[in-house]
Amino acid sequence: MNAHAGIAKTDTTSGPLLQVHGLSHWYGERMGCIDVDLEIWPGEVLAIVGESGSGKTTLLNCVSGRMQPTGGRIDYRGRDGRMQDLGALTEAERRYLMRTDWGFVHQNPADGLRMSVSAGANVGERLMAVGNRHYGRIRETALDWLGRVEIADDRIDDQPTTFSGGMRQRLQIARNLVTGPRLVFMDEPTGGLDVSVQARLLDLLRGLVGELGLSAIIVTHDLAVARLLSQRILVMKEGRVIESGLTDRVLDDPQAPYTQLLVSSILQA
């Protein structure tokens, strides 16, 4: 089996990969996010930034199907080229989409891994979920992906409980990317890691996203992460998008006072 079979290629000719229209989510009477519009194109990385409590994680969870929005619509372009309303999918169709076309990288790797099974099994389980059954090929593909995320071959049978935080995050990335998803959601993927480990992980992510032609939506409070990984950026405050545009333009010439404050706080740090 080709270890890279099924990898999504960048295709910008068919229109946006995903479109969000007027998305809102309320926790009872408390607003999580309100009236958000966004789109992401094939091969594009979009960063969602803001302080804690700005609504960025709520937005990510709603768009990725992990949380049911209170209002709005999310349309996704399937591999057949047709846009589909995600709200109209059955639960089985939604689970299949999440196993095949989508991936989700958690801030805490333990939330995205099975800590009681080996590194190889964590990668292999995702392959089995999309129909792979040949043990030898599954193990071969797992070894290939462990190598791609800089985990040594001789760790394939070790459990993630024996890995460092950075290794666990790299394993979670391999688990998500092994099936060739078209869109990956990342929630603070470098959060909680030492600075040197963050830098190594960011270099790895940037290389894989470019190599595979992935689309990605990344939530981060770190503007340096947004600048390094994304082409476009959304700035959120109190549940609303207050500024958006090309990442370099927004960060180099912010228009909204809140964005100016975020940028200046980084420059003064």
Side-chain angles (χ1 to χ4, degrees), residues 227 230-231 233 245-253:
R227 187 186 288 276
S230 69
Q231 290 88 40
I233 192 170
L246 296 175
T247 300
D248 286 343
R249 198 282 300 163
V250 170
L251 296 183
D252 291 339
D253 186 24

Side-chain angles (χ1 to χ4, degrees), residues 45-50 56 188-190 198 202 205-206 216-235 245-251 262-263 266:
V45 178
L46 173 70
I48 304 173
V49 304
K56 58 187 186 297
E188 299 280 8
T190 62
Q198 284 186 20
L202 284 170
L205 278 173
R206 183 169 61 171
I217 300 178
I218 298 177
V219 158
T220 180
H221 69 279
D222 190 334
L223 298 185
V225 171
R227 187 186 288 276
L228 184 68
L229 293 180
S230 69
Q231 290 88 40
R232 283 193 304 116
I233 192 170
L234 299 182
V235 182
L246 296 175
T247 300
D248 286 343
R249 198 282 300 163
V250 170
L251 296 183
L262 281 180
V263 172
I266 296 301

Side-chain angles (χ1 to χ4, degrees), residues 84 88-100:
Q84 53 189 331
L89 296 182
T90 67
E91 185 60 30
E93 289 171 333
R94 188 183 300 274
R95 286 198 304 267
Y96 183 75
L97 181 69
M98 292 179 177
R99 288 199 306 267
T100 56

Side-chain angles (χ1 to χ4, degrees), residues 135-155:
Y135 174 79
R137 295 191 189 118
I138 289 172
R139 188 173 176 87
E140 178 186 349
T141 303
L143 276 169
D144 175 66
W145 268 98
L146 291 180
R148 297 180 83 177
V149 298
E150 301 175 358
I151 295 175
D153 289 0
D154 61 6
R155 302 302 304 270

Side-chain angles (χ1 to χ4, degrees), residues 127-265:
L127 289 167
M128 293 178 68
V130 296
N132 289 273
R133 292 293 181 266
H134 191 287
Y135 174 79
R137 295 191 189 118
I138 289 172
R139 188 173 176 87
E140 178 186 349
T141 303
L143 276 169
D144 175 66
W145 268 98
L146 291 180
R148 297 180 83 177
V149 298
E150 301 175 358
I151 295 175
D153 289 0
D154 61 6
R155 302 302 304 270
I156 188 171
D157 295 317
D158 294 347
Q159 292 184 353
T161 52
T162 68
F163 288 1
S164 67
M167 286 180 66
R168 290 180 188 179
Q169 194 62 295
R170 298 200 304 275
L171 176 60
Q172 187 188 184
I173 290 167
R175 178 181 170 99
N176 274 274
L177 299 189
V178 68
T179 53
R182 302 167 72 212
L183 177 59
V184 178
F185 303 92
M186 301 184 187
D187 186 10
E188 299 280 8
T190 62
L193 299 176
D194 293 340
V195 173
S196 61
V197 178
Q198 284 186 20
R200 183 178 176 187
L201 183 63
L202 284 170
D203 283 343
L204 175 68
L205 278 173
R206 183 169 61 171
L208 287 171
V209 166
E211 175 189 347
L212 304 177
L214 285 173
S215 298
I217 300 178
I218 298 177
V219 158
T220 180
H221 69 279
D222 190 334
L223 298 185
V225 171
R227 187 186 288 276
L228 184 68
L229 293 180
S230 69
Q231 290 88 40
R232 283 193 304 116
I233 192 170
L234 299 182
V235 182
M236 294 192 69
K237 179 185 180 185
E238 297 175 352
R240 300 179 185 273
V241 175
I242 62 165
E243 188 163 1
S244 64
L246 296 175
T247 300
D248 286 343
R249 198 282 300 163
V250 170
L251 296 183
D252 291 339
D253 186 24
Q255 301 300 302
Y258 175 72
T259 311
Q260 293 170 1
L261 183 63
L262 281 180
V263 172
S264 65
S265 67

Side-chain angles (χ1 to χ4, degrees), residues 19-97:
Q19 290 181 303
V20 175
H21 313 273
L23 188 142
S24 300
H25 183 81
W26 292 79
Y27 301 94
E29 296 184 356
R30 182 171 65 86
M31 179 182 65
C33 61
I34 186 165
D35 200 25
V36 175
D37 296 332
L38 67 84
E39 64 182 22
I40 185 164
W41 290 71
E44 181 180 48
V45 178
L46 173 70
I48 304 173
V49 304
E51 295 176 306
S52 178
S54 63
K56 58 187 186 297
T57 297
T58 296
L59 176 60
L60 186 75
N61 284 334
C62 287
V63 174
S64 65
R66 299 175 60 80
M67 184 182 292
Q68 183 68 29
T70 308
R73 176 180 172 125
I74 304 169
D75 292 318
Y76 176 70
R77 190 178 301 280
R79 292 180 186 263
D80 60 2
R82 294 183 298 173
M83 295 296 280
Q84 53 189 331
D85 176 5
L86 294 183
L89 296 182
T90 67
E91 185 60 30
E93 289 171 333
R94 188 183 300 274
R95 286 198 304 267
Y96 183 75
L97 181 69

